[in-house]
Amino acid sequence: MRGSETPFRQRLALRENQIFLVLTILIGVLSGLLAVLFTLAIKGVTYLFFGISPSVMRFLLIPTVVSFFTGFLLKRYFPEARGSGVPQVEAAYHLESGNVPGRVAFGKFFTGVLCIGSGHSMGREGPSVQIGAGVASTLARWFHLSPARAKSLAPVAAAGALAGAFNTPVAAVLFALEEIIGDMNASLIGSAVLASVSAVIVERSILGNSPIFHVPQYRLVHPIEILAYVVLGIVGGLVSLAFCKGLLWLRELFLRMPVRSRILQPAMGGLLIGIILIFFPQVLGVGYQYVDQALNGGLLFKTMLVLCLMKLIATIISYASGNAGGIFSPSLYLGAMAGGSVGMIVHHLSPFPVGEPGAYALVGMGAVFAGIIRAPMTSVFMIFELTQDYQVFVPLMIANMISFGISRQFQPTPLYHALLEQDNVHLPHSVGRPIVPLRCARDVMTRNFRMIPSESSIASAWQMASEPDSDTVLIGDNGSLTGLVTRKQIEQEIKSGNADQPVRQIAIMKYSHVHPDQSLEIVIDRLGKNPGLLPVVSRSKTDQVLGVITPQTLVKFVQGNADDKDRVLPGDREIAA
Amino acid sequence: MGEQETFRIFHRDILLICALVALGAGLFLFTKKVAAKEQQLDEHVAATWFKQGERKLNSGDVESAIEYFRNATSNDRGNQAYGLALAEALAKGNHRTEAEETLRRLRESYPDSAAVNLQLARLAAESNNVHEAVRYYHDALYGSIAGAGANNERREIRMELVRFLLDHGDQRDAVSELLVLDADLPHTPEAHVQAGELFLRAGDAQHALSDFVEAIRLDPGNAAGRSGAAKAASQLGQYEQARHFLENPASSIRHSPDTFYEFGRRSGDLG
């Protein structure tokens, strides 16, 4: 068939495939370049702020003052640029077709450089991922790609950015599959590889080919040493658990503060970081030179123990107070210090020959990373690519899986997902190939609902509750749900003479909700937990009501299905006549 | 209409892609420039740390020196001098293992560096690892040494090796090394005296005598040369020659207890 005879739409589809291929390479290159530039900018800014031997006043003032400025920017112009960037990209991928505004990428770059460069104990890899995804999303819009294709570019950009930031092409691809998409069998593996390779080529042509960490060739000295690595896995799990719990707790504390204080919270964190830096300047910024020292046995036991603790505290403060930066690098730092400490103990106490403490620092890095980030395969390959040491693969895998298991047991929700939940964003549970149930909440809900403002009187709530099928009333302001109130509650309050009181005083604040794509089974289960009404809310904004489900709507749905007997649905069994 | 629309879209795509490629190329060049500037900055920072480290080392504060040298190597990984300084400071501070690792890492980047191999040889020598020490000494001897004094340095390394071998009773290998050393000695009495003394320690009196004679030829009044020659000659049973070497206008030789006693013992003059 000649080109001129090809239908317009077919040609467009072909065009989209070709553009996607070209964009994959371009995005890999651009993400990689931006990741390198981000790294260089942070180094330059750090030197600018702190020089070679900073004074106490510098340690105190720089993080505070700079965070005050970045706090303003983050609150006013770039609220999506707070934090790591990885959970935001995950949310964009799963909930918004991969859409990351270009403004966010710019804001992340700028504020990330300032935050990390001013001393905050945060990583640069997460921000690189968000910057790359922002660029990819912008290009997708420029080329008018379909939503499906635009969505696919987010993990591709993540792979490119991480490869450029870490010089770890394989781990970057695994990360995109394991963490962003959540499915190791994703069809995007080819594109992710292409982007990763492109990024690494440009990165190495600028920064050279040497690994980030120079470590001796460690190996398993005695088979029984595996037991020591099991212990290391347990320690790694506990450290990652402490980090996750601590971060979520402190962040919750900051989020509960008045909204007006959000603009100042980064500066509060900056002040605390400044105080820590006076006594422990080793926790400043990324801190890879100290990781290198731990990997080479260059730190004392007590030093590693103290640095592990202080880095944990500093990173929690930096992140929870709302600054822009990631947690990859701090995870590696924590792991190296914890692992090195365990290695020192093992070396001292073991009756049989064991490896150097540096080997334990190496494995510890992987274990804590796996426990915090919850990407065990990425962790194994990342450590290998960062150090180019294959000898400790087996201990690394063992320690990783143990740490991962412990972290998952006591913190079932992965950290990135938990951080999103604190921001009222709920990712799909099985973050993998979304399994769309046959029947879901969307099919049952009614969009016919009303919401009463929270300042309305109980008397006006009674008017709404008197309508048929309105045993329960939604309360909210400006389209945001804040609570429920039942007819029975309203009756009681009116009888008590409180008809003029605002309805928010009697609102039920703790209630169940469902999302449109959740199954009927979940709907039925949660409907029973609520007093007669189940709100159906958006995943990307959990206080935005899309519809409601009541027992009546459920009955109507069932009756509607019963009337539609001739409709054959997938899964229906044909009964032989 | 479809054809026109298709053409318009493809045209726009090509323009966009060209613009993006140009942007990528520009960004690449810009990033490379920034990286070069960063490297200069790193080198400057490393040099500052290095100087501070040297000051600390000279003042005896080894641990601080180690920390500063570490900072220097972190900022300028490829710099051999910083790595060597760190290794030396680590060895001085009794951080043997880390010193070795630092040097081994340096050796991966500079396998034929005489300085690096020499440091490794010394560390191996301290732990009496003879085989490894000899290996590193040889690597140092045949490695690259920059500067005009390369020959002198090589000579010093070989002498150090010879002393090490003699300390560990390996006279045969010591003599082999001395023969090589001998062939390249500078024409100074001190050099020949030094070689002669080492030959004597190694039990090769013949070659020792040759060197001492050469020293005397270059400087007839050289006391060490004459005394060494007398020793060598008497070990070879050449007592007349030994006496001749001792008959020197400089009276200090006759009154030197070692040579006089040795001469007397062998010639039987002393009762």
Side-chain angles (χ1 to χ4, degrees), chain A residues 8 15 40 43 205 296, chain B residues 3 6 13 32 38 42 105:
Chain A
F8 178 61
R15 169 250 175 198
L40 296 172
K43 268 177 90 173
S205 64
N296 286 278
Chain B
E3 278 288 333
T6 309
D13 287 345
K32 230 177 146 83
E38 285 277 340
D42 282 343
R105 225 175 22 248

Side-chain angles (χ1 to χ4, degrees), chain A residues 312-521:
Chain A
L312 188 115
I313 293 170
T315 308
I316 287 173
I317 290 172
S318 290
Y319 198 103
S321 56
N323 289 283
I327 54 176
F328 269 45
S329 310
S331 306
L332 296 177
Y333 190 114
L334 289 173
M337 296 304 158
S341 304
V342 169
M344 287 280 196
I345 295 172
V346 169
H347 214 250
H348 187 68
L349 296 176
S350 170
F352 43 82
V354 292
E356 293 295 326
Y360 289 79
L362 184 63
V363 173
M365 261 169 50
V368 172
F369 185 92
I372 291 176
I373 308 295
R374 296 279 183 91
M377 291 311 297
T378 303
S379 166
V380 168
F381 281 89
M382 179 166 287
I383 300 305
F384 167 61
E385 287 182 297
L386 280 174
T387 59
Q388 294 179 8
D389 187 348
Y390 185 76
Q391 300 287 339
V392 290
F393 231 63
V394 169
L396 188 56
M397 284 195 288
I398 291 170
N400 270 16
M401 294 318 293
I402 292 171
S403 174
F404 176 82
I406 289 173
S407 181
R408 192 168 64 170
Q409 178 67 28
F410 296 102
Q411 174 64 38
T413 308
L415 179 63
Y416 283 145
H417 292 194
L419 289 168
L420 283 172
E421 282 178 13
Q422 285 185 332
D423 293 332
N424 293 325
V425 176
H426 288 198
L427 291 184
H429 252 288
S430 54
V431 179
R433 214 180 287 278
I435 299 163
V436 180
L438 207 54
R439 302 276 193 276
C440 53
R442 185 185 295 114
D443 299 322
V444 182
M445 73 184 190
T446 173
R447 290 188 169 83
N448 185 15
F449 64 90
R450 282 165 65 189
M451 200 181 282
I452 186 165
S454 56
E455 290 301 322
S456 304
S457 65
I458 292 174
S460 42
W462 169 246
Q463 282 175 351
M464 203 187 292
S466 305
E467 289 170 17
D469 299 339
S470 294
D471 289 337
T472 305
V473 176
L474 298 174
I475 299 172
D477 299 298
N478 301 321
S480 292
L481 181 66
T482 53
L484 309 174
V485 67
T486 64
R487 188 190 295 176
K488 205 170 165 182
Q489 279 177 287
I490 296 168
E491 274 177 358
Q492 276 173 350
E493 291 299 316
I494 289 175
K495 276 182 190 159
S496 308
N498 296 328
D500 292 334
Q501 296 299 315
V503 71
R504 61 174 163 75
Q505 283 187 355
I506 59 169
I508 301 167
M509 306 299 262
K510 274 195 171 176
Y511 50 86
S512 294
H513 66 259
V514 288
H515 299 294
D517 59 335
Q518 286 182 305
S519 68
L520 273 190
E521 196 180 332

Side-chain angles (χ1 to χ4, degrees), chain A residues 4 8 11 15 33 36 40 43-44 47 52 139 143-144 205-206 212 214 216 289 292-293 296 298, chain B residues 2-3 5-6 9-10 12-13 16 20 24 28 32 35 38 41-42 45 49 70 74 77 98 101 105:
Chain A
S4 57
F8 178 61
R11 237 183 281 171
R15 169 250 175 198
L33 281 173
V36 171
L40 296 172
K43 268 177 90 173
Y47 180 74
I52 294 174
L139 293 184
F143 282 90
H144 301 294
S205 64
I206 296 172
I212 290 184
H214 287 83
Q289 67 266 43
D292 203 70
Q293 286 180 31
N296 286 278
Chain B
E3 278 288 333
E5 187 64 18
T6 309
I9 290 170
F10 281 140
R12 188 197 65 196
D13 287 345
L16 260 178
L20 283 171
F28 177 81
K32 230 177 146 83
E38 285 277 340
L41 179 63
D42 282 343
V45 170
W49 282 119
R70 270 209 191 103
S74 292
R77 271 216 180 119
E98 206 193 331
E101 279 311 323
R105 225 175 22 248

